[in-house]
Amino acid sequence: MASHAATADDALYTEVAGQRLLGFLFFLISDCVIFGSFIFVYLYIRNASPVWPPAGVERPGLYLAAVNSIVLFGSGATMHYAMEAIRRANVRRFTAFTVATIILGCMFLSGQAYEYTHLHDTWAGSTFGASFFTLTGMHGFHVFIGVIFLITVLVQTLRGTYTPMRHFGLTAATLYWHFVDVIWVALFFLFYVY
Amino acid sequence: MSVADLGHVRTGHIHPPPDTFVKKYVFSLDHKVIGVQYFITSGLFFVLAGLLAELMRAQLTGPNNHVLSVATYNEAFSVHGSAMVWLVTIPVLTGAFGNLIMPLQIGARDVAFPWLNMVSFWMFPPAGILLFGSFLFGAPQAGWTEYPPISLQMPFGTSMWCMAIFLIGVSSTITGINFLVTIVKMRAPGMTWTRMPLFVWATGVTAFLSFIATANLSAALAGLFIERTFGVPFYDPAKGGSPVLWQHVFWFYSHPAVYIMILPAFGIVSEVLPTFCRRPIFGYKAIAYSSVSIGLLSFMVWAHHMFTSGLQHWEQFAFMALTMLIAIPTGIKIFSWLATMWGAKIHLCSPLLFVLGFLSTFTFGGITGVLLASVPVDIHEHATYFVVAHLHYVLFGGSMFGIFAGLYYWWPKMTGRLLDERLAKLHFWLMFISFNATFLPMHWIGLHGMPRRVATYDPIYASTNLFVSISAFVLGLSFLIFAYNALRSAKQGEVAGPNPWGGRTLEWMISSPAPYYNFDEIPIVLSGPYDYGKPLPYANIKPELATVPTH
Amino acid sequence: MASDGESKRLKDDQGHYLDAGFWRAVWVMAVISVVLMAVVVAYPIDPWFLPEASTTSVDIDKLFKFSMFFSVPILVFVNGFLIYFAIRYRRRPEDPDSAIGSQIHDHRALETWWTVVPAVLMVTLAVLSYFVIPEYYPTGQAAASAVTMEAIGHKFYYEFRYPGLRNSVMNDAHLPIGVPVTMDITSLESSQDVNNEAVIHSFWVPEFRIKQDMVPGMVVPLHFTPRETGTFRIVCTEFCGLGHSHMWGKVIVDSRSDFDKWYADQKRSEQAEAKGVQPISLAPGDAGAGQTTFNAKCVACHKAAPFEQKLVGPGLGNLFHDPSHPNLVTGKPATPANVADIIEHGAHGDMGTMPPMQVNGLSQKDVANLVAYLQTLHK
Ligand code: HEA
Ligand code: HEA
Ligand code: CUA
Ligand SMILES: [Cu+2]
């Protein structure tokens, strides 16, 4: 789409998008606090426990999780390029990268499902399981929501809802996706490495 | 973009007024209607929670009474505390006053996200129904703090409590985000940070606390809920969890929450004082910035509720010192307010009376707070009636007096009619005296060894408790005066006019009740809000609305 | 900021408000503060400080009194100025509608003072408090010199374990005067508890000014030295369930010789018990006296109503006459001897824990009276 002269309508859009962006950032911060709170719970229990993981509990394997992490971080990269594309008004490139992101997101979820079904520990089984399943489950749910979010904005883009000047929905989806990535860095470190 | 352009752009927000009853009064998007909805709903919950308190006082008129069974007594104080905190004080101060007043004071036509605003209101009544409905399923008994393991051993009502408070938490997180965006992005042109009314400052800091601290509460409650429902071990010591952990996560929310419950009241005080003293507020910036520092400090003091639960030595010291720091910014406020009365022209109207009551009782409660902050002293006083006395002095003597000051002050703006001043003054004096008679003696019995949350007590406290209970009944009756006054005003109250008190903030520059769009034209702000003696600081306000009244 | 001319005018303005009346009011408040401080600290009208029965209590009370030295003046001055200004600067009928107050926006010196003075006070209070903390949390040396014992919170009574005694002492702790004690405070260990009913209790002796939560799974050593003989209440301050209101114990501080005598008695009865337990004496009891005891000691947990009407324990109204519950919770038939056994030794089952007779403060005679009373009930 060609650039056009800024109208009062555009100014209104900028103003409203600015409000929404700030609101969305605040939402992400509060979401961070929720994760942070459960991470605090995990660290506290871990710290108070004489042995870790608790006797009889096995930690989930590192390899699957590492592969899964690469998948998720890869999706962060594709999302970044998708956003670049829309700024240059290249809808085809955007579509390609967004579809790639969605596929990577689904791969991550399948990896997680595989891991869940092959673990001995359960949610109610131990203090490790409690935190592990709650936190990674919450994260998985966020990825799931993120995938739905991406599908929605993809459809909207194909319908021409967004323009290089007006794409708050896309900005939000990208931010959300990167946020989910960053949370995973923390979880990966806590549950598989540290 | 020039300022004038912006004013033009904002007209884009205007939608045609709703035409059906449902859109107008039920699922309304108008911040003023939502504000009133909050008032009515939490007013109802206040009566219920207050009546529970009166039942408790009836049980405590003598030792070994059987007015309530022990279990019912426990349910009563748990639901009383939870409802007063989450269904009354927080929704009134943020949802009701924040909605009703804040957008008007910054010269906006609505909040940033009107639809979200409606959604967060509609989470509130179901939360109340869940909380009071829990009586049918065995209401929570372990107090508003619901410490595990005991809260894990209680019937289904406690799960309903979790759900109710979770809903309230989500609602207040959304409201917090909404308000902060509104304040950051939607101030009228020319209203710089230091030209904002102090109530807006307070609401902004409160909004920040709401969406940070309350998100943490949601997490804590989710943990408790899944532990109760699915046996997932977080807090149960039998399964390797830690009961003290809950205390940490709960108080990490609930301490900031007590400032969520007091900062807007501080804001109300800062509005009422200059208006009725007819002079600029003393130390505008000091008051504004002390709200911010109280907000930040409030995240660092939570463990002062846990001095007896086996903290490390150094943790006790650190939390004690940080807690005491809060006395400094709070003191700055108190002293600045006093200095506002210095050399003033004081109109002793009902809102000001409630503010003076606030200053007197809140200072008392704050000082007992400092006594509690000292670890060794708290070791003696913790979980006794001394704490009950402290919390009512700050919550009732602070927040409630603030709420009533605000109600009397903004009632004309809300309804367009005045309340009767003589009844208002009667209400004030009855409430002020019976409040002190109810809660002052609690300090003594607490120091003398009466623990809280008991349905019966050692007979040595009998006479004091009887006195307290009688005062509590009088205190309950004092609210009837307000109820009568409010009903009377609706029928035959004097028409208020736009500015009955001579206020100078923006809400007084428009007619009462405020019109649907709030402002025909968005005002342009040229200087600070309370400069009595200077011309009005607004560029395009209709002058006839801003005339000095005769009250 | 204000221009020179304006700031000069402001100064005059403020000077004008600091007139003789102002200073007179300040003097009045100062005098009231001093009088109140004296009343509160030195001559309490009501003895609002309990007896100081432990060494720690003396220092804690000193801290409290120190706090009064600033709390009282702050309260007097805040309320005093409130009243003084409200009267002095009230709007008078002759004032025109447009009359306004002074134009004082701020005052550097004043604001500095009211920031610095509270800060200094708070730092002082924090430092003074800091030095009292080690008195109840033993550091190495204090711990070494102390008698170490255990206090365990149960639903709804206290259990004390003494070094050298095999049996626990229920609810009434005996302590010698002047001997530093380290008490390891905890709650019923959850691993021992079939019903998974461990909860938080609290150990508070108001006269000692010490309190410690009894948290399951956590042991906290608490340190104190009794300094007065007498009987003092132990109160549970952490909500622990239906019996919380009644969870009271006693600390009996004896002279050294009395304490030794009590300790020797305990030892002797343990030895007697080891030789063979005496059967419960079922001397015929007095139902009337039993009813009084029941209303004083048992109604917290039991109703005189059918079995199903539970409070903490089952209803006892049909104890001896209930075809649907021919057996007691112990599984034994409802005979007077078996009931007396429960009342004497307690019971532990699905419903919870029925405390033994020491906890309920019953004598053998009381047990007999209670059995007699329970036999009279038909509900
Ligand atoms: C509106 C709510 C509110 C507010 C504002 C406060 C304010 C304060 N509170 Fe309070 N508090 C509660 C609500 C509130 N509290 C509740 C509900 C509980 C009980 C929870 C439960 O267990 O159920 C509680 C419990 C509580 C405890 C735990 C007690 C215990 O259970 O053992 C402590 C301990 O430190 C404490 C301290 C303080 C302090 C230091 C302040 C300070 O912010 C006060 C600061 C104000 C002043 C000091 C007065 C004005 C200042 C001056 C005039 C300057 C000069 C003053 C000095 C130099 C001292 N509070
Ligand atoms: C804003 C908060 C708030 C408010 C306003 C109140 C108001 C009152 N509170 Fe509450 N209270 C708490 C917050 C609050 N409380 C909290 C957080 C706790 C801790 C709970 C816990 O331990 O977990 C607590 C605990 C608490 C206790 C301690 C319970 C215990 O530990 O065992 C007591 C005991 O007396 C008490 C009494 C009262 C009374 C008599 C009032 C009165 O002021 C109420 C008066 C109001 C009404 C009566 C309703 C309206 C009036 C009418 C409709 C008129 C007609 C009515 C009559 C004539 C009866 N409260
Ligand atoms: Cu034990 Cu309360
Ligand atoms: Cu607190």
Side-chain angles (χ1 to χ4, degrees), chain B residues 144-145 251 255 258-259 261-262 304-305 307 323-324 326-327 330-332 334-335 362-363 365-367 369-370 372-374 378 381-383 387 390-391 394-395 399 452-453, chain C residues 70 74 78 118 121-122:
Chain B
W144 76 291
T145 53
W251 289 115
H255 187 81
V258 308
Y259 294 101
M261 293 186 276
I262 200 70
H304 66 211
H305 296 272
F307 286 151
T323 304
M324 288 177 179
I326 296 196
T330 318
I332 292 176
I334 300 272
F335 297 131
F362 176 77
T363 306
I367 283 180
V370 170
L372 288 167
S374 162
D378 181 68
E381 291 164 349
H382 171 72
V387 176
H390 160 72
L391 76 88
V394 282
L395 273 172
S399 314
R452 63 191 286 198
R453 297 172 175 168
Chain C
F70 62 83
I74 288 172
V78 168
L121 285 170
M122 291 298 92

Side-chain angles (χ1 to χ4, degrees), chain B residues 12-13 34 119 193 198 221 240 254 265 319 348 469 494:
Chain B
H13 278 283
I34 294 178
V119 171
W193 291 107
L198 287 164
L221 287 167
S254 279
F319 282 109
L348 216 56
S469 290
E494 200 183 322

